[in-house]
Amino acid sequence: MPDIWSLYNDKVMEHFKNPRNVGEIEDPDGVGHVGNLVCGDVMELYIKVKDGIIVDAKFKTFGCAAAIATSSMVTEMVKGKRIEEALKISNKAVVEALDGLPPAKVHCSVMAEDALKAAIEDYLEHQKLKRQI
Amino acid sequence: MRRIYLDHAATTPTHPEVVKAMLPFFTDAFGNPSSIHSYGQEAKGAVEEARTKVAELIGARSEEIVFTSGGTEADNYALKGIAYANEHKGNHIITTSIEHHAVLEVCKFLGRRGFKVTYLPVDKYGLVDPQDVRKAITDKTILISVMHANNEVGTIEPVEEIGKIAREAGVYFHSDAVQTVGHIPVNVAELKVDLLSISAHKLYGPKGVGALYVRKGTKSVSLMHGGEQEKRRRAGTENVPAIVGLGKAVELAGQEIGKEAERLAYLRDKLIEGLVGKLDHIRLNGHPTRRLPNNVNLSVDFVEGESMLLNLDLEGICASTGSACSSASLEPSHVLLALGLPAEQAHGSLRFTLGRENTEADVERVLDVLPGIVARLRAMSPLLKTQK
């Protein structure tokens, strides 16, 4: 186990200690469920959308400190964003917002991006179905 | 904040008396043991005194002890030394799926170079079945390597029975005893081992020094070629201060071995029973009784090990985990998987390994702090809901 103080920077540790937006949204407009247990990372991201804008986002994550911090950060980043803007949020942007992650932990940020995309796709899928009805 | 160190299987603090014993050999008694003059003689004398102490602790003869740079070198020397000295007799090696990487990676290396390696499975407690060892032996088998006790889950292997089988079959037997020497009684004659690995920093000695017991008459080749140190079995000027430190560490360990094991086993059981009593969905990994006196390894459902570890560290409690997230590989502990644990339980493992400076208050502090951490992490776990 490497020394944690050189492993994670202050911002990552702050989000790990006080993660924002933990929980589920009742009656969400989109849910993204990604990750797998073999790798030890599972993330669920819930979004609430109003007039094409993400008005709320929450998450539940099983994973390491980097997984929890990126989950927390990505939910902060999407709130108030239009769907098309939110789709442009990359894992790199999440890592930058956290002032960086150790190289071995960058894959955790990919999970955050994937969860966000999955939640938005889920939302768009529901919209399509609604229009068809 | 007072820090509580509960990771003694990783390393131990060097005992102050060990440091004191080492110090003169950096300065006043700095001689090279190969030198003829008085400086050389005093260094040589110190190295031989340490050799005698190590031999005495494990019931060996002093000429059967070879000093190395640590447990990893001892394991490498044991396996490669036997393999390359005996390849005319056969190319088959038997080991287990739960060995330390210092054995497993050597076996993989040899496997890529024409040796055939059998990796024996273990039961759910991490025990190797001696009958599996017997059945795996062929006329090509030249070496069996089974660790004395597992570093992650603390299970103590039936090394004595395996040693008997190996000796009857005329096959060399190596045991990695890095986790047991100085902690529980180890006697090479009783265990019937031909080779046995020791590391100083696991028993309150310095890092960078260890030893391999090589039974008289064992055919082996050296890994290090150069000068004639260690009776040509390990070239290179001896690390005199470290060797003296190892000698002092085994001397101190020998004086208190039974009493300290009893004290630690009490704290271990208090910690296990306390956590199992306070938390649901938690289980002990490893054997309930055939277990190192200082080892607690638990799987906590629905939460990931590194998150627990960092939260504990923020409270000043230093432990370890078998979760992939704490390593570069992304794969959970090979030991926990070999015990049959599903991946998520391997990721949710926590290891506490107690030591000399730990007290009952330390155990109580963990019992106070961990349930809150687990509750907080479980509240953000998507797995808990799935299970409901």
Side-chain angles (χ1 to χ4, degrees):
Chain A
M1 205 37 222
D3 172 22
I4 63 160
W5 305 114
S6 59
L7 181 59
Y8 294 123
N9 66 44
D10 291 349
K11 198 155 184 185
V12 175
M13 283 307 287
E14 205 280 311
H15 273 266
F16 168 63
K17 283 190 273 184
N18 305 298
R20 283 52 147 184
N21 312 310
V22 175
E24 295 172 30
I25 293 176
E26 267 185 58
D27 194 25
D29 294 313
V31 183
H33 186 115
V34 296
N36 71 70
L37 286 174
V38 178
C39 298
D41 285 326
V42 178
M43 180 178 176
E44 269 174 18
L45 199 150
Y46 302 80
I47 52 169
K48 192 87 192 159
V49 183
K50 204 175 172 189
D51 303 327
I53 292 169
I54 298 174
V55 292
D56 198 11
K58 285 197 186 300
F59 79 91
K60 280 202 156 182
T61 291
F62 168 89
C64 62
I68 290 169
T70 52
S71 303
S72 169
M73 182 51 87
V74 80
T75 51
E76 282 288 274
M77 289 167 79
V78 296
K79 280 205 273 183
K81 286 228 167 41
R82 301 196 61 80
I83 288 291
E84 48 274 27
E85 286 176 273
L87 271 173
K88 286 183 204 149
I89 295 174
S90 66
N91 75 298
K92 223 178 131 206
V94 179
V95 174
E96 277 166 16
L98 284 168
D99 296 342
L101 279 177
K105 297 287 186 177
V106 170
H107 73 278
C108 296
S109 65
V110 177
M111 189 175 71
E113 181 189 325
D114 289 349
L116 174 61
K117 297 235 154 86
I120 293 174
E121 273 162 30
D122 183 49
Y123 162 72
L124 294 173
E125 195 65 28
H126 282 300
Q127 291 299 303
K128 215 163 80 186
L129 286 175
K130 269 190 210 163
R131 262 180 257 130
Q132 280 166 2
I133 298 161
Chain B
M1 180 169 47
R2 190 172 71 95
R3 287 195 297 173
I4 300 174
Y5 185 78
L6 291 166
D7 200 13
H8 292 81
T11 193
T12 57
T14 311
H15 194 293
E17 279 190 48
V18 170
V19 177
K20 206 172 129 196
M22 290 170 70
L23 286 177
F25 294 92
F26 289 102
T27 50
D28 298 343
F30 64 86
N32 185 327
S34 298
S35 300
I36 302 293
H37 48 64
S38 62
Y39 280 100
Q41 287 169 29
E42 66 188 354
K44 176 87 179 155
V47 167
E48 293 317 312
E49 196 186 322
R51 199 186 308 280
T52 304
K53 286 176 184 170
V54 174
E56 273 173 7
L57 185 72
I58 61 169
R61 289 182 259 202
S62 56
E63 65 267 27
E64 295 173 314
I65 303 299
V66 181
F67 290 118
T68 67
S69 64
T72 293
E73 189 192 322
D75 286 341
N76 270 264
Y77 176 27
L79 273 71
K80 290 175 188 162
I82 293 292
Y84 287 124
N86 297 278
E87 53 188 335
H88 62 282
K89 288 202 292 187
N91 66 344
H92 182 226
I93 296 165
I94 299 169
T95 188
T96 80
S97 50
I98 62 161
E99 295 299 310
H100 189 276
H101 285 126
V103 166
L104 278 185
E105 290 299 318
V106 179
C107 286
K108 282 194 211 161
F109 169 86
L110 291 169
R112 290 191 295 269
R113 278 159 183 79
F115 290 90
K116 289 202 165 33
V117 185
T118 301
Y119 299 92
L120 294 175
V122 292
D123 71 7
K124 63 177 176 175
Y125 298 122
L127 279 176
V128 179
D129 184 346
Q131 293 315 312
D132 285 348
V133 178
R134 187 193 297 277
K135 282 181 234 157
I137 296 173
T138 72
D139 56 354
K140 296 274 182 224
T141 309
I142 52 172
L143 175 66
I144 298 165
S145 180
V146 177
M147 69 200 325
H148 191 196
N150 183 268
N151 50 307
E152 291 189 38
V153 294
T155 301
I156 300 168
E157 299 297 338
V159 168
E160 200 172 330
E161 283 173 71
I162 296 166
K164 198 161 164 263
I165 291 165
R167 196 146 295 175
E168 279 167 10
V171 176
Y172 285 128
F173 180 39
H174 165 251
S175 188
D176 177 344
V178 159
Q179 293 292 337
T180 53
V181 171
H183 300 283
I184 59 173
V186 173
N187 182 289
V188 291
E190 283 171 20
L191 297 179
K192 297 186 176 60
V193 290
D194 300 294
L195 306 115
L196 184 125
S197 302
I198 299 168
S199 167
H201 77 101
K202 308 287 192 187
L203 55 123
Y204 308 95
K207 292 167 185 64
V209 65
L212 183 70
Y213 158 76
V214 185
R215 192 175 167 230
K216 197 165 181 264
T218 302
K219 291 204 169 19
S220 177
V221 294
S222 172
L223 301 185
M224 303 291 256
H225 300 90
E228 297 193 350
Q229 292 89 355
E230 299 297 286
K231 294 198 165 63
R232 308 192 67 168
R233 292 172 296 186
R234 206 274 188 181
T237 299
E238 297 86 342
N239 186 352
V240 180
I243 289 169
V244 169
L246 170 58
K248 189 69 190 177
V250 297
E251 181 192 325
L252 294 170
Q255 286 165 6
E256 56 179 39
I257 198 162
K259 223 173 99 195
E260 178 63 1
E262 206 177 301
R263 190 185 75 88
L264 292 176
Y266 167 76
L267 295 179
R268 172 196 69 188
D269 295 341
K270 188 182 165 82
L271 185 53
I272 293 170
E273 283 158 23
L275 288 175
V276 170
K278 285 189 170 211
L279 286 162
D280 51 8
H281 298 287
I282 181 171
R283 68 184 64 74
L284 184 70
N285 295 318
H287 201 280
T289 54
R290 282 189 66 101
R291 185 173 197 99
L292 286 173
N294 73 337
N295 177 292
V296 176
N297 189 313
L298 298 153
S299 276
V300 184
D301 287 351
F302 320 125
V303 287
E304 193 276 328
E306 193 208 81
S307 309
M308 283 191 280
L309 211 63
L310 290 184
N311 274 301
L312 283 169
D313 195 54
L314 291 167
E315 299 283 346
I317 298 167
C318 303
S320 164
T321 173
S323 175
C325 274
S326 70
S327 73
S329 73
L330 300 186
E331 272 175 36
S333 145
H334 67 285
V335 174
L336 296 175
L337 295 181
L339 263 62
L341 261 71
E344 67 270 28
Q345 281 174 22
H347 285 295
S349 74
L350 266 185
R351 182 188 72 177
F352 300 100
T353 42
L354 299 144
R356 187 176 267 150
E357 71 285 0
N358 291 131
T359 62
E360 207 152 351
D362 296 344
V363 170
E364 274 155 17
R365 173 99 178 110
V366 178
L367 294 177
D368 281 344
V369 166
L370 187 61
I373 291 172
V374 170
R376 204 170 73 81
L377 290 171
R378 277 181 178 170
M380 69 171 98
S381 171
L383 304 188
L384 190 55
K385 182 188 57 185
T386 337
Q387 298 281 332
K388 269 178 190 164

